[in-house]
Amino acid sequence: NAGVTQTPKFQVLKTGQSMTLQCAQDMNHEYMSWYRQDPGMGLRLIHYSVGAGITDQGEVPNGYNVSRSTTEDFPLRLLSAAPSQTSVYFCASSITGTSSYEQYFGPGTRLTVT
Amino acid sequence: AQSVSQHNHHVILSEAASLELGCNYSYGGTVNLFWYVQYPGQHLQLLLKYFSGDPLVKGIKGFEAEFIKSKFSFNLRKPSVQWSDTAEYFCAVRFGNTDKLIFGTGTRLQVFP
């Protein structure tokens, strides 16, 4: 199993540009989520999904869109990038259930918006 | 509002010293508790988790954590740290029956030989 994969690893955008961060998992996990990691602020939940066709907002959803058309993929879209979105983005997945919720994280995407 | 607090932002220790990192949450209901570790340049990995039962849980690499319900705490401990424990440590909480996992702000641990 490849686990959770993310592309690209690094990206530089100009203010106002759009892009999609890709996330895929091959573990048949129902739950997938996106976090951003900023110094001194830990990981903050952007959006999450409990299954194909179902998404919901996390703590900091503004400026980001998601969709979940398949179990495997959970892309994160930035429609109009802003410098405040400069961050490291992590995708994670897990089995839902009473004894799990252990999240498996991808390697991250480091995004810089100039 | 449900929140997770890690009051130690940066901890510096010498090898063989004992470690305790604090984690508190604000919520009176059922919680599932996690500690994750992020080594330099790597992604997050699970150290240990608590769902129910014995409030003292043991994880990988000699780490353990104790759930104290009355104090809303889940502190991470290790009796003797090593240089290889240098990393950032995150406490995370799943509140009630929600699907969201909320992380604390993290504690950066530096261990010197």
Side-chain angles (χ1 to χ4, degrees):
Chain A
N1 286 351
V4 180
T5 58
Q6 290 183 239
T7 55
K9 287 189 177 181
F10 302 94
Q11 183 70 49
V12 179
L13 290 177
K14 290 186 176 359
T15 297
Q17 286 184 315
S18 63
M19 80 158 297
T20 300
L21 308 186
Q22 301 291 346
C23 174
Q25 53 89 10
D26 61 359
M27 297 174 282
N28 202 32
H29 285 171
E30 299 163 338
Y31 183 92
M32 296 185 74
S33 55
W34 277 102
Y35 293 87
R36 59 177 289 173
Q37 184 179 24
D38 302 291
M41 305 191 76
L43 278 83
R44 291 180 292 169
L45 182 64
I46 304 171
H47 286 286
Y48 65 99
S49 168
V50 298
I54 306 168
T55 63
D56 206 345
Q57 297 181 347
E59 303 169 271
V60 289
N62 293 341
Y64 307 95
N65 280 352
V66 291
S67 60
R68 184 95 179 269
S69 56
T70 66
T71 299
E72 294 79 19
D73 300 298
F74 191 44
L76 178 72
R77 296 185 192 84
L78 285 72
L79 297 178
S80 179
S84 61
Q85 294 177 305
T86 293
S87 187
V88 181
Y89 292 84
F90 288 99
C91 179
S93 73
S94 69
I95 302 170
T96 54
T98 57
S99 62
S100 187
Y101 281 91
E102 173 185 348
Q103 300 228 21
Y104 294 82
F105 284 83
T109 294
R110 186 173 292 274
L111 175 67
T112 302
V113 183
T114 61
Chain B
Q2 298 156 347
S3 63
V4 182
S5 300
Q6 292 181 245
H7 301 295
N8 313 106
H9 298 296
H10 190 191
V11 174
I12 302 172
L13 294 172
S14 298
E15 274 192 320
S18 63
L19 170 71
E20 181 160 1
L21 301 182
C23 173
N24 290 89
Y25 61 91
S26 60
Y27 183 69
T30 303
V31 290
N32 300 144
L33 303 157
F34 305 80
W35 275 98
Y36 283 84
V37 60
Q38 186 178 30
Y39 297 104
Q42 297 188 26
H43 55 86
L44 280 82
Q45 305 168 41
L46 182 69
L47 268 182
L48 48 79
K49 62 183 178 182
Y50 172 79
F51 275 73
S52 63
D54 188 344
L56 184 63
V57 293
K58 295 191 184 300
I60 60 172
K61 304 187 180 186
F63 286 92
E64 64 178 32
E66 185 175 12
F67 171 48
I68 303 179
K69 189 174 182 179
S70 61
K71 294 186 177 180
F72 303 95
S73 70
F74 189 55
N75 292 355
L76 181 71
R77 299 195 292 248
K78 186 170 184 179
S80 176
V81 295
Q82 300 173 310
W83 175 79
S84 57
D85 293 324
T86 294
E88 191 152 17
Y89 293 81
F90 294 93
C91 179
V93 181
R94 176 177 168 252
F95 296 98
N97 291 323
T98 68
D99 297 303
K100 296 187 285 190
L101 191 63
I102 304 300
F103 282 78
T105 52
T107 297
R108 183 178 169 217
L109 172 66
Q110 280 183 290
V111 180
F112 289 97

